[in-house]
Amino acid sequence: NSHIPVITIDGPTASGKGTVAHKVAERLGFHVLDSGALYRLTALAALRRGTELSDEHALAKIAERLPAKFVGGEIFLGTENVGHALRAEEVGNAASKIAALPAVRQALYGLQLAFREAPGLVADGRDMGTVIFPGAKLKIFLTASVAARAERRYKQLIGKGFPANMEGLLADLHSRDERDMNRAVAPLKPAEGAHILDTSDMTADQAVEAVLEWYRHA
Ligand code: CDP
Ligand code: CDP
């Protein structure tokens, strides 16, 4: 399936990857891979079982056997719809911790490749362009200032009924950026050939148009 076009969208937390990926996919009629959800699902399952977030072997087993299903924008763990539970900051932070473990990343590798289906795929995460789909037709590194990203995450959490305070969010954002950029395996960085898109002063729709314009010329 290496001929099927892939657009990768990598970037730091709350830069708008998920939002832009879904809108671009909708416009092109492509599939979506929310790779962060796989790390979040593994983290959620581990938190519920009380697995130590440093127990690489046990976490890789959980990732390998993840009973995850993606059904029209909803995410299921077994029969439970966990779309909402996955968005909690606690789960995002735990996901970022376990994502630094090589065996966990290895366990999720094949699962991610399987999302490449005709007519095309938009994949968002941290290492879509660098590790998972290095041959992607178009690679985007989506970013925004820390202030813009904290503001977006704040509004998003409040809108979904989660508690949020700006100070805590800023602290989370910094520690997550730090961890994601400085880990030994698949650190967050622009892929070779990636277009860098700073959306600090852009709406999500403007970012979508920019990506589609690059895709037309890719
Ligand atoms: O996936 P990622 O964590 O990068 O971001 P997201 O979950 O898509 O969340 C970004 C939030 O900021 C959403 O509520 C978007 O509506 C909003 N937003 C955006 O995505 N892009 C902009 N240029 C401006 C706002
Ligand atoms: O929405 P947000 O950007 O905050 O997070 P996410 O994309 O759902 O990812 C949660 C965590 O999973 C990130 O902080 C990363 O540590 C990890 N992750 C990763 O390592 N590689 C990916 N391709 C996607 C996510």
Side-chain angles (χ1 to χ4, degrees):
N1 61 0
S2 61
H3 60 284
I4 297 171
V6 177
I7 299 176
T8 59
I9 304 183
D10 291 306
T13 183
S15 55
K17 302 178 301 295
T19 305
V20 173
H22 277 93
K23 288 185 179 224
V24 167
E26 200 175 307
R27 290 278 289 275
L28 297 172
F30 282 12
H31 300 277
V32 185
L33 165 59
D34 170 4
S35 63
L38 300 176
Y39 291 92
R40 285 174 183 265
L41 281 162
T42 305
L44 181 68
L47 289 171
R48 286 182 173 179
R49 286 183 208 188
T51 307
E52 287 289 336
L53 296 184
S54 53
D55 188 342
E56 184 164 4
H57 182 73
L59 292 164
K61 278 268 169 307
I62 293 176
E64 225 161 71
R65 296 170 190 166
L66 213 54
K69 265 189 253 88
F70 294 80
V71 189
E74 299 294 342
I75 306 174
F76 291 83
L77 192 58
T79 56
E80 182 191 353
N81 187 335
V82 291
H84 185 74
L86 286 184
R87 299 318 308 170
E89 274 297 289
E90 184 201 5
V91 177
N93 288 328
S96 152
K97 284 182 190 150
I98 66 163
L101 305 172
V104 171
R105 305 199 72 86
Q106 186 55 42
L108 294 174
Y109 181 72
L111 184 56
Q112 294 175 82
L113 295 185
F115 278 79
R116 188 175 199 168
E117 285 190 281
L121 175 69
V122 184
D124 93 73
R126 301 293 184 290
D127 64 340
M128 297 297 97
T130 51
V131 176
I132 309 295
F133 302 110
K137 189 163 177 191
L138 175 67
K139 299 179 185 183
I140 307 291
F141 190 81
L142 202 67
T143 183
S145 67
V146 168
R149 291 190 283 125
E151 176 90 28
R152 287 175 194 176
R153 186 49 38 95
Y154 183 83
K155 284 190 186 152
Q156 206 178 21
L157 285 170
I158 295 291
K160 290 191 172 161
F162 285 108
N165 76 78
M166 207 49 170
E167 221 165 286
L169 273 180
L170 278 168
D172 280 357
L173 214 110
H174 277 295
S175 61
R176 199 114 76 83
D177 281 0
E178 190 72 12
R179 203 157 39 217
D180 290 350
M181 290 189 297
N182 295 313
R183 67 187 176 210
V185 283
L188 172 65
K189 62 172 181 201
E192 209 174 306
H195 294 273
I196 312 253
L197 186 58
D198 185 331
T199 66
S200 303
D201 299 309
M202 286 169 97
T203 64
D205 286 325
Q206 287 172 323
V208 169
E209 291 308 325
V211 173
L212 289 172
E213 184 59 19
W214 275 318
Y215 187 69
R216 278 178 210 116
H217 297 105

